[in-house]
Amino acid sequence: MYKTILAIESSCDETGVAIVEGGIIEVASALATSQELHKKTGGVVPEVAARKQLEYILPVIAQCLEKAQVYYRVGSISEVIERIDAIAVTVGPGLSGSLIVGVESAKALALSWNKPLIPVNHLIGHLYANFIGKTANDLPSFPAVGLVISGGHTDLILIKDHYKFEYLGGTLDDAAGECFDKSARLLGISDYLGGSLLSELARKSNNSSINGVLPRPLINEDNFDFSFSGLKTAVRRLYDNNPKAPIEDISAEVQSSIVEVVSVKVKKAVDKYKVKCVLVGGGVSANLELRKGLNTSINVPIYFPEYRLCTDNAIYIASAAYFKPIHLLTSEVVVNPGLSVTDII
Ligand code: KG4
Ligand code: ZN
């Protein structure tokens, strides 16, 4: 195992670099984002994201190394570099231009510093966010159920051990975060990444007369799949047919539908596989109602990342690399935008 890992994450519109020890201790991290630019266009323009990442990557690496120099109290950056045992990088899934920036930068560092290079699956990385800041005594134990819930993914997996995964199910169409965002857009809340704004509005809902009117897609199906695209259509119909319904109530109802479906499916997986805990990761894991819904329906410990680690970050990419078994460390490092959650690279 390589103890001290410098990781790079650039799968979407963030450019992150972090140094982590033992998969759990954050030494230093730096992050830049081009999100403000994408707000103007109502979505990520891949080429714009990649161009910004090219601009950010070297300053972000430098910033992370400088922070590590302070952490280690050493006199030079080369003394920081000496302490780094390996480089890790997200190879997918994500936007190919963005991934290339991170992967090629990581290769350059590995070559010039003469360190091994570890490829990481971004989706698995999201789950390792739950290892950061833990002590040896409170690390998640296996078997566990993993829920990756973000703008692009809603996946349920069984984690038998580090890097021993079994796919249980996932969304057949829109991801949960996508449904939050598309609902926010059609309710006029926000044109881009409106999920968290929608959930803030939902908190203000009081005495709603529309509780339970939206469908709970696939909730009673005997599988671990999700489908959120019909829900978005139902939200539009509800909105059009109830012009007087407060937007707060519609928001609360959208959120309840997503949270109920996800909670029921996760509970079903917990009961079926008799796991010791649940690991949640991805942007939507910041949602408070989801945290509440899972906590009330499930009777094993549920790990949620710190809020800053729900979104894309290199910190947990380093953790995912640390816990990768040694026999899996020999693979070729190539960008793989279409990687799925259980693909081991
Ligand atoms: O993991 P992430 O940063 O990017 C992807 O890989 O997709 O997730 C972003 C998603 C967006 O859909 C965003 O609206 C959603 O996570 N999100 C939320 C909340 N915070 C972020 N959705 C619901 N409630 C929130 N509090
Ligand atoms: Zn992500």
Side-chain angles (χ1 to χ4, degrees):
M1 262 177 177
Y2 300 106
K3 183 176 169 223
T4 304
I5 296 182
L6 179 144
I8 297 182
E9 154 62 43
S10 68
S11 62
C12 190
D13 54 355
E14 259 93 25
T15 309
V17 178
I19 299 173
V20 173
E21 280 182 3
I24 53 178
I25 302 164
E26 179 187 344
V27 169
S29 70
L31 189 70
T33 180
S34 55
Q35 209 173 75
E36 282 305 312
L37 290 174
H38 308 306
K39 260 186 204 157
K40 290 182 199 149
T41 44
V44 177
V45 179
E47 202 200 305
V48 173
R51 247 189 289 142
K52 284 316 246 184
Q53 283 161 322
L54 259 187
E55 190 183 315
Y56 293 150
I57 188 76
L58 290 180
V60 174
I61 292 170
Q63 202 187 341
C64 178
L65 290 171
E66 281 159 19
K67 286 187 182 175
Q69 186 184 344
V70 174
Y71 178 93
Y72 286 129
R73 299 164 190 256
V74 291
S76 68
I77 295 292
S78 37
E79 286 168 85
V80 174
I81 296 169
E82 271 168 32
R83 288 170 186 249
I84 295 169
D85 299 312
I87 311 295
V89 64
T90 298
V91 296
L95 304 170
S96 59
S98 294
L99 290 164
I100 286 169
V101 174
V103 168
E104 293 309 309
S105 306
K107 280 183 178 171
L109 292 185
L111 189 69
S112 59
W113 294 348
N114 193 25
K115 316 268 184 199
L117 181 58
I118 307 170
V120 173
N121 180 329
H122 176 77
L123 301 173
I124 293 306
H126 269 302
L127 298 179
Y128 276 95
N130 294 299
F131 285 71
I132 301 298
K134 298 284 184 305
T135 61
N137 294 332
D138 62 0
L139 284 178
S141 46
F142 301 119
V145 162
L147 169 69
V148 180
I149 184 160
S150 69
H153 293 85
T154 307
D155 286 315
L156 259 183
I157 61 170
L158 176 64
I159 312 171
K160 297 172 185 163
D161 201 346
H162 291 292
Y163 286 81
K164 284 205 174 137
F165 309 126
E166 185 181 319
Y167 183 76
L168 300 180
T171 185
L172 305 173
D173 39 58
D174 289 356
E178 194 176 352
C179 184
F180 267 109
D181 295 343
K182 285 179 175 169
S183 301
R185 183 183 293 213
L186 69 88
L187 295 175
I189 296 169
S190 166
D191 278 344
Y192 181 56
L193 294 185
S196 60
L197 283 177
L198 182 146
S199 88
E200 271 171 42
L201 278 175
R203 225 178 304 161
K204 296 183 188 139
S205 169
N206 205 353
N207 276 332
S208 169
S209 61
I210 54 168
N211 278 348
V213 300
L214 284 174
R216 269 57 176 162
L218 307 187
I219 197 163
N220 293 318
E221 301 279 314
D222 191 20
N223 59 35
F224 299 108
D225 289 330
F226 303 93
S227 168
F228 294 111
S229 83
L231 178 58
K232 169 196 67 196
T233 314
V235 174
R236 177 182 297 279
R237 217 174 307 123
L238 178 66
Y239 184 49
D240 290 345
N241 294 342
N242 297 274
K244 292 209 177 110
I247 219 73
E248 290 81 359
D249 291 353
I250 302 181
S251 299
E253 176 56 9
V254 176
Q255 179 168 258
S256 297
S257 168
I258 297 172
V259 168
E260 277 175 38
V261 172
V262 172
S263 303
V264 163
K265 297 267 170 168
V266 175
K267 179 174 171 17
K268 210 179 273 182
V270 167
D271 292 347
K272 178 167 180 183
Y273 295 99
K274 308 205 172 0
V275 294
K276 293 187 178 149
C277 67
V278 176
L279 305 181
V280 189
V284 184
S285 62
N287 185 281
L288 291 177
E289 283 305 308
L290 178 70
R291 291 182 177 218
K292 241 192 259 171
L294 288 171
N295 274 322
T296 40
S297 57
I298 289 160
N299 56 5
V300 294
I302 307 177
Y303 292 86
F304 297 98
E306 297 175 38
Y307 288 108
R308 71 185 176 122
L309 298 181
C310 291
T311 44
D312 292 350
N313 202 302
I315 297 174
Y316 49 74
I317 299 303
S319 178
Y322 174 83
F323 287 106
K324 202 167 180 180
I326 220 90
H327 69 276
L328 293 175
L329 294 183
T330 50
S331 48
E332 209 188 337
V333 182
V334 283
V335 165
N336 193 340
L339 218 55
S340 69
V341 63
T342 45
D343 284 338
I344 292 177
I345 31 88

